Amino acid sequence: MSVKKRSTRSKSSQQWLKNHFDDTYVKQAQKEGYRSRAVYKLLEIQQKDRILKPSETIIDLGAAPGGWSQVATSFVGKRGLVVALDILAMDPIVNVEFIEGDFTEQSVFDSLIQMLISKKNGTDGKCGAKCVDLVMSDMAPNISGVRAVDQPRSMYLAELALQLAKTVLRKKGGLLVKVFQGDGFDCYFKELRSCFDKVVTRKPKASKSISREVYLLAKGYKA
Ligand SMILES: C[S@@+](CC[C@H](N)C(=O)[O-])C[C@H]1O[C@@H](n2cnc3c(N)ncnc32)[C@H](O)[C@@H]1O
């Protein structure tokens, strides 16, 4: 019986690999030197909403393998700052600071704040942590396939991203966050609307239509 199980799993992982390498966005990412197909989601949002600008400070949560960070640093340039964080290791990217850790842990949250203070606190001391222009979160839990387990986990990560945004965003800053449609979504949307001037939903073409994932873009933090 265990033999049967093993062979089934290997077939489905082979199918996953086949689908992955057949994927147009995966091929395009390889050709264009991007680390993930996810870059095309951010690039489409950027084209429409112009969320990344020169010299800005950007936080990239759930950054590995680094596609969004590659895009972010190309827009903010050398005078900007990108701080990326992931529970997994990530190969370095020029002009991107990386923190490896589980964002659900308070100590990791604190390290991120400390990093911002050390990088952004000018000699006049006026800047500190509240200097971030945009918090992006593409964090997603390991999907178990059981919606009752996956949905609360993903909403929890989205909540943590909002909590960080409230701590570090400058007035009128923005938040781009991946959320899965399901329990807790409407409530989260309402919460965003109370903190920001405008909230819109984005479903980029590179986001698979069968996936419940959407991106919420909140602009104009009310501080
Ligand atoms: C869809 S991938 C991000 C892809 C990335 N935006 C890119 O363009 O390469 C989601 C990431 O969220 C990370 N993640 C999930 N839970 C996390 C947590 N608790 N703390 C930090 N990162 C987490 C995963 O390790 C994974 O790398």
Side-chain angles (χ1 to χ4, degrees):
M1 194 157 170
S2 68
V3 173
K4 196 175 176 193
K5 246 187 179 178
R6 249 182 259 136
S7 92
T8 309
R9 216 179 286 148
S10 126
K11 257 190 199 164
S12 68
S13 64
Q14 275 172 16
Q15 187 58 48
W16 184 90
L17 283 170
K18 186 179 178 315
N19 291 346
H20 179 74
F21 288 111
D22 284 351
D23 183 308
T24 330
Y25 291 106
V26 171
K27 286 182 180 157
Q28 196 178 340
Q30 283 166 347
K31 210 166 109 190
E32 295 179 351
Y34 287 123
R35 294 182 178 189
S36 66
R37 70 187 297 291
V39 293
Y40 299 105
K41 302 176 190 175
L42 182 59
L43 285 169
E44 186 180 319
I45 294 169
Q46 170 65 6
Q47 197 173 19
K48 194 175 177 69
D49 299 289
R50 309 273 170 217
I51 53 173
L52 301 162
K53 300 191 186 84
S55 304
E56 285 191 339
T57 299
I58 313 288
I59 308 283
D60 181 9
L61 299 174
W68 279 27
S69 286
Q70 286 180 296
V71 172
T73 191
S74 73
F75 279 94
V76 304
K78 279 187 190 155
R79 295 170 71 93
L81 173 67
V82 177
V83 180
L85 184 147
D86 205 288
I87 196 167
L88 301 176
M90 182 172 109
D91 287 340
I93 299 175
V94 176
N95 293 326
V96 175
E97 300 291 335
F98 180 65
I99 297 170
E100 184 179 336
D102 182 344
F103 193 59
T104 63
E105 288 175 12
Q106 184 64 42
S107 60
V108 175
F109 185 98
D110 294 344
S111 305
L112 182 49
I113 302 297
Q114 280 314 310
M115 161 89 74
L116 281 172
I117 291 170
S118 72
K119 291 276 165 196
K120 297 296 294 180
N121 217 354
T123 46
D124 60 359
K126 279 186 188 159
C127 196
K130 285 228 172 229
C131 272
V132 173
D133 298 286
L134 177 72
V135 172
M136 313 189 291
S137 171
D138 198 19
M139 282 189 294
N142 281 333
I143 299 297
S144 71
V146 181
R147 195 184 277 205
V149 173
D150 297 334
Q151 183 63 16
R153 279 188 187 159
S154 83
M155 289 313 309
Y156 179 52
L157 293 175
E159 275 295 344
L160 292 179
L162 175 57
Q163 192 190 332
L164 176 74
K166 286 179 180 173
T167 312
V168 302
L169 281 184
R170 64 164 169 81
K171 199 172 179 199
K172 300 294 171 196
L175 169 67
L176 174 67
V177 57
K178 169 149 76 187
V179 185
F180 290 87
Q181 285 168 309
D183 284 353
F185 178 90
D186 291 343
C187 197
Y188 186 76
F189 194 94
K190 272 189 201 142
E191 199 181 348
L192 285 189
R193 283 182 65 174
S194 70
C195 307
F196 292 84
D197 294 336
K198 193 178 173 192
V199 185
V200 291
T201 306
R202 296 284 178 248
K203 176 79 178 171
K205 287 192 198 79
S207 173
K208 293 178 179 152
S209 52
I210 54 157
S211 165
R212 288 178 297 112
E213 111 183 339
V214 291
Y215 291 85
L216 294 179
L217 174 61
K219 277 179 159 181
Y221 180 52
K222 292 177 187 168

